[in-house]
Amino acid sequence: MIGNLSQVEKRLKLYQPLPDKKFEVKSGLAPREEAIKQQVRQYWSDKTIADVKKLEGLNLDLSGFDPRRTTNRQLLEVTAFLADQGLIDSDLAHSISSMDMPLDAQGNPLTLDREIDAYEFLTGKLASLNRESFKDNELAKGERIEVNAALSVLLALEGYAKTPREKPLVNIRV
């Protein structure tokens, strides 16, 4: 199975809604892998599940995380952790962590520490994809699904960052 899709599949095994055709994308992957990618995008877009529930079990200090004032480095670290936990797949992690990143002629990032407004970038990209000229384009449809999922993940992370954490009863430091 490609990337971390087996971890995502384990994480979402209890999430079994009827597959919604609007999240179906032709990615060229095996049917089972496409189904998992479709399921994770549907999961992050599902408004019947609270963001707190979606990030349940996440043990990450995101205090001070603000998608309006972040860097690709911070997004890369957060999405790598989410992908390791099976909360998102590696394609979604890449979509979130590589936004508005300047590249050199070989495609390598010039800097990961430049401040970006992730919301502004994604909403601008979504507006561009929603133009009439892209309405029936299959690639644009897939990208719209990806951008919407990325926005949902960022909103959940922002909410998580603003939610006070309970202090543990025992503080063990080595």
Side-chain angles (χ1 to χ4, degrees):
M1 191 159 294
I2 293 179
N4 70 329
L5 289 179
S6 59
Q7 291 144 306
V8 171
E9 184 178 41
K10 286 178 197 172
R11 177 76 181 211
L12 297 181
K13 69 181 174 194
L14 297 177
Y15 180 68
Q16 297 296 325
L18 292 174
D20 189 334
K21 290 271 189 205
K22 73 178 182 182
F23 297 101
E24 191 173 282
V25 179
K26 293 171 180 48
S27 63
L29 296 174
R32 181 170 170 224
E33 293 165 336
E34 281 191 356
I36 295 167
K37 289 178 75 62
Q38 176 182 349
Q39 183 183 21
V40 77
R41 272 123 192 99
Q42 186 170 341
Y43 175 75
W44 280 103
S45 297
D46 192 336
K47 301 298 182 208
T48 65
I49 304 170
D51 289 341
V52 165
K53 184 75 173 160
K54 290 175 186 174
L55 293 171
E56 192 171 62
L58 185 66
N59 189 14
L60 183 64
D61 181 12
L62 288 176
S63 55
F65 176 75
D66 181 3
R68 289 165 195 83
R69 298 178 53 100
T70 188
T71 64
N72 289 107
R73 182 177 311 280
Q74 187 178 29
L75 291 172
L76 183 64
E77 290 168 358
V78 170
T79 57
F81 185 80
L82 293 178
D84 285 346
Q85 298 295 307
L87 287 165
I88 59 175
D89 63 69
S90 53
D91 288 344
L92 188 52
H94 178 72
S95 292
I96 296 169
S97 64
S98 64
M99 63 180 75
D100 202 20
M101 185 184 308
L103 305 173
D104 65 13
Q106 288 77 37
N108 300 315
L110 291 173
T111 179
L112 294 174
D113 297 314
R114 185 174 59 95
E115 189 174 283
I116 60 170
D117 181 338
Y119 286 142
E120 183 180 310
F121 178 81
L122 289 173
T123 54
K125 190 172 187 178
L126 195 57
S128 176
L129 290 166
N130 283 331
R131 285 196 315 245
E132 191 61 38
S133 57
F134 290 118
K135 286 292 184 193
D136 296 324
N137 184 305
E138 195 64 34
L139 289 173
K141 174 189 173 200
E143 191 63 19
R144 276 192 298 274
I145 293 168
E146 195 79 10
V147 170
N148 278 321
L151 281 167
S152 295
V153 170
L154 285 176
L155 285 168
L157 289 171
E158 183 179 29
Y160 180 88
K162 290 179 178 177
T163 303
R165 300 282 151 249
E166 290 183 23
K167 294 194 178 209
L169 295 175
V170 179
N171 186 4
I172 301 174
R173 289 189 170 222
V174 181

